[in-house]
Amino acid sequence: MNISQHRQDIITVRDIVKTYPGGLLALDHVSLTVRQKEVVVVIGPSGSGKSTLLRCLNGLEDIDSGEIIIDGIPLDATPRNRLAIRTEVGMVFQSFNLFPHMTALQNINLAQEQVRGKSRQEANEATMALLARVGLTDKAQAYPAQLSGGQQQRVAIARALAMHPKVMLFDEATSALDPETIGEVLEVMKGLARDGMTMVVVTHEMGFAREAGDRVIFMENGRILEDASSADFFSNPRQERTRAFLGQILCGPIPGLNGTHLNMKEQT
Amino acid sequence: MNSRATSPTFVRFLVAHYRDFLLYGLLLGAVAWFIASGEQGTGYHWKWYRMPRYLIQFTEDGWVLGPLLQGLIVTFKISGLSLILAMIFGLTTAIFRLSDSFTARLVAKGYVEFIRNTPLLTQIFFIYYVIGPVFGLDAFGSAVLALSLFEGAYASEIFRAGIVSIHKGQWEAAYSLGLSRQDTYRRVIIPQALRRILPPLAGVGVTLIKDSSLASTIAIYELTQRGNIVSSDTFMVFEVWFTVAAIYLAITFPLSLLVAEMGKRMRTAD
């Protein structure tokens, strides 16, 4: 955690608790700080609360107690405050959630025009630059249904970037993709990390966590069990539970954990 | 070659369904007998030749619409205006019912339940005799308001179903981009919902054309009222009501077919 001590905190989460209707405790006193340009990877078994944590960060879920501060603005429940936070926090979803009745261009234009008040021409220019960045210049006029999963997800990333967010959240962005298109989305995400985007990434892609992540957080049962630099996390996990999880997800014993097996999912 | 290939299939079709054909023939016979006996029993004389002038007439001013087609135009006006208003009432009510505000939900629910549980005819009289004088609504305005409130209540259920059918992820994606609830409805949710509910919404249009006949009860000269007048003037009861029914059918049946076709396309498109 000493790698970026001098940088400003972008996300501060203090002691948040989230209970779903029905009584399921999704987040159990979670605290977390994310610094500028930091890439934090959140892993853990399903139901561990990692997606819920992400969804709380841009107000898609309400918290019961605790505090979330994004770039100095405390997230409270007023609609106006939420909109302010959301324009600073981009989110990419597992199921892409592109608007099916709009072309790629229109998908990316929408919030620029509607929220940022850009003219059509300004938005078009920004959009074409973003499409070039994700390698889809030729798909501007395509509808989501005409694109592959990987292409849709890249459009979704461009759509979130169009707001010039201070933070990007990725909620299992590659989990719904065919194996052959996972790589292209991960490449875009790695590019963002290289460009200095602050990112919180929920993923099962250990290769990405090791390669692009500054920090890895392991969650289980709504709690953060381990929070370490990505090198430490993979070479020397402190918690027994983390070792067991890594063992399961990498399909091999911990001793083999020297980095070479970590790319399994990408190699296939 | 083609006909040689199809004719045996046709014969096979006839043989396979001979009972159905017999029944069909019997049915047609029964209808003819019923009409004929009605004619004899009442000593009715058909005067179809006198009907066309009530539809359209050639005078020194050129072609002039007869009372029935003039009535049809009024029917179109009432139905068209009511359809537009019903869509507005329906959409607003649906959004109210899905809102976070308890008051909005209560108002919407109260409106829908009140309308759906009272007869349309009562509503028309209520608006014409009670609300109309207060707000200075004439008969036409009262009819349009009553019909649009009535159909709007049903349309709101259609809108609501359409809005609810849009995946939660669409809301979340729009919200995560910083769109307001209003913008999300306008740009993301309603355009998608409309595509899905177009067939049942068009069905509301068909119902409106039929229900607009009730406006005849408050002295509006639409198709049914015109039919009433012509038939009592001329005593050509059979001809007039056959004609009026045929006119309604000629409008609503193609519309219904269109609705059914649209429904089929929507299902395959999804």
Side-chain angles (χ1 to χ4, degrees):
Chain A
M1 262 200 278
N2 50 8
I3 39 172
S4 47
Q5 208 89 60
H6 59 287
R7 290 186 196 135
Q8 194 196 339
D9 290 351
I10 289 265
I11 301 176
T12 308
V13 174
R14 271 194 213 118
D15 216 25
I16 59 169
V17 175
K18 163 76 187 171
T19 318
Y20 279 114
L24 177 76
L25 184 62
L27 294 176
D28 185 5
H29 299 278
V30 170
S31 295
L32 169 76
T33 307
V34 179
R35 292 187 175 79
Q36 203 168 33
K37 301 193 175 185
E38 202 173 17
V39 176
V40 176
V41 177
V42 185
I43 65 172
S46 55
S48 59
K50 48 196 197 306
S51 284
T52 306
L53 173 64
L54 220 57
R55 295 161 58 83
C56 287
L57 290 180
N58 71 347
L60 283 181
E61 302 282 354
D62 291 320
I63 51 174
D64 303 344
S65 66
E67 194 179 22
I68 296 174
I69 300 167
I70 308 280
D71 196 31
I73 313 168
L75 178 61
D76 60 47
T78 59
R80 173 178 275 204
N81 170 272
R82 259 188 214 197
L83 291 184
I85 296 278
R86 283 172 179 155
T87 54
E88 305 305 329
V89 180
M91 181 142 181
V92 177
F93 300 86
Q94 180 177 352
S95 49
F96 329 134
N97 296 349
L98 289 181
F99 308 130
H101 58 301
M102 298 180 185
T103 63
L105 182 91
Q106 290 167 331
N107 263 280
I108 303 171
N109 273 359
L110 178 66
Q112 298 183 59
E113 294 173 16
Q114 213 71 43
V115 181
R116 295 284 193 222
K118 285 191 196 173
S119 72
R120 172 66 47 86
Q121 202 189 339
E122 286 173 315
N124 276 343
E125 279 168 21
T127 297
M128 289 315 293
L130 284 164
L131 281 172
R133 191 165 168 188
V134 298
L136 289 172
T137 321
D138 54 329
K139 299 293 183 189
Q141 299 303 330
Y143 284 91
Q146 299 165 318
L147 299 172
S148 74
Q151 290 170 333
Q152 288 189 56
Q153 194 61 297
R154 284 188 279 157
V155 172
I157 292 173
R159 181 175 68 173
L161 287 175
M163 298 302 288
H164 296 295
K166 299 213 168 78
V167 185
M168 284 282 283
L169 310 175
F170 292 83
D171 189 5
E172 301 204 18
T174 55
S175 298
L177 294 175
D178 294 330
E180 65 265 29
T181 62
I182 288 177
E184 65 194 47
V185 173
L186 287 177
E187 274 316 309
V188 170
M189 289 168 66
K190 285 174 194 165
L192 281 178
R194 274 196 300 273
D195 293 348
M197 175 62 77
T198 311
M199 295 160 68
V200 182
V201 183
V202 170
T203 187
H204 296 297
E205 297 293 329
M206 294 304 134
F208 177 86
R210 197 180 50 102
E211 208 179 309
D214 297 317
R215 246 166 86 202
V216 179
I217 286 172
F218 178 69
M219 286 185 76
E220 193 174 53
N221 296 327
R223 265 174 292 190
I224 293 180
L225 288 192
E226 186 145 359
D227 180 348
S229 76
S230 109
D232 281 352
F233 184 88
F234 287 107
S235 59
N236 188 22
R238 274 166 297 175
Q239 303 283 334
E240 191 51 47
R241 189 62 196 92
T242 316
R243 289 166 191 271
F245 178 77
L246 283 176
Q248 275 169 356
I249 204 162
L250 300 170
C251 316
I254 299 295
L257 232 177
N258 50 14
T260 46
H261 295 15
L262 294 178
N263 271 324
M264 298 187 66
K265 250 187 151 169
E266 272 177 281
Q267 281 165 0
T268 47
Chain B
M1 204 154 121
N2 204 4
S3 69
R4 215 179 295 162
T6 52
S7 57
T9 15
F10 183 66
V11 170
R12 228 178 297 140
F13 178 80
L14 277 180
V15 172
H17 296 276
Y18 76 97
R19 262 187 301 189
D20 228 14
F21 280 105
L22 273 177
L23 277 173
Y24 186 63
L26 278 174
L27 186 71
L28 282 184
V31 170
W33 176 82
F34 177 76
I35 291 172
S37 69
E39 185 189 348
Q40 275 176 349
T42 54
Y44 196 82
H45 297 294
W46 293 95
K47 291 178 225 149
W48 278 112
Y49 66 92
R50 286 184 58 194
M51 270 316 287
R53 76 186 70 168
Y54 296 105
L55 293 171
I56 194 162
Q57 226 177 343
F58 190 76
T59 65
E60 55 267 36
D61 302 331
W63 291 100
V64 174
L65 291 183
L68 290 183
L69 286 189
Q70 278 176 23
L72 181 64
I73 288 174
V74 177
T75 290
F76 278 147
K77 275 187 193 159
I78 293 183
S79 313
L81 275 173
S82 303
L83 187 62
I84 294 167
L85 280 177
M87 293 298 124
I88 295 170
F89 290 151
L91 183 58
T92 313
T93 308
I95 289 173
F96 272 30
R97 284 197 70 175
L98 294 168
S99 109
D100 290 332
S101 156
F102 169 73
T103 318
R105 286 204 305 268
L106 192 77
V107 167
K109 181 90 180 145
Y111 157 62
V112 171
E113 289 307 319
F114 177 80
I115 295 289
R116 296 215 299 185
N117 290 295
T118 51
L120 173 56
L121 193 53
T122 309
Q123 292 165 22
I124 291 176
F125 286 153
F126 183 81
I127 287 177
Y128 181 52
Y129 292 113
V130 181
I131 310 275
V134 178
F135 292 100
L137 273 181
D138 60 357
F140 185 83
S142 301
V144 167
L145 184 63
L147 283 167
S148 49
L149 281 175
F150 181 78
E151 299 299 340
Y154 287 90
S156 81
E157 292 294 293
I158 297 172
F159 275 114
R160 192 167 70 116
I163 290 168
V164 170
S165 80
I166 302 299
H167 192 267
K168 198 169 110 258
Q170 294 288 308
W171 285 98
E172 293 181 348
Y175 280 165
S176 76
L177 290 168
L179 261 71
S180 64
R181 190 182 174 84
Q182 193 192 333
D183 284 340
T184 304
Y185 261 126
R186 202 165 55 82
R187 300 295 304 270
V188 177
I189 304 299
I190 290 171
Q192 291 182 62
L194 265 185
R195 276 162 219 228
R196 294 194 189 173
I197 61 173
L198 217 50
L201 277 187
V204 168
V206 173
T207 313
L208 252 175
I209 292 172
K210 294 184 295 170
D211 286 352
S212 70
S213 62
L214 286 169
S216 61
T217 56
I218 53 172
I220 289 185
Y221 292 84
E222 46 66 71
L223 180 55
T224 299
Q225 175 72 346
R226 291 289 194 172
N228 216 354
I229 293 166
V230 172
S231 81
S232 44
D233 281 355
T234 60
F235 302 110
M236 299 194 299
V237 183
F238 279 32
E239 293 88 338
V240 169
W241 291 115
F242 265 116
T243 307
V244 169
I247 293 173
Y248 276 118
L249 206 60
I251 309 295
T252 53
F253 189 59
L255 266 178
S256 298
L257 287 181
L258 191 74
V259 169
E261 186 57 32
M262 264 162 44
K264 252 187 266 170
R265 287 219 189 142
M266 293 288 155
R267 269 195 296 282
T268 49
D270 266 5

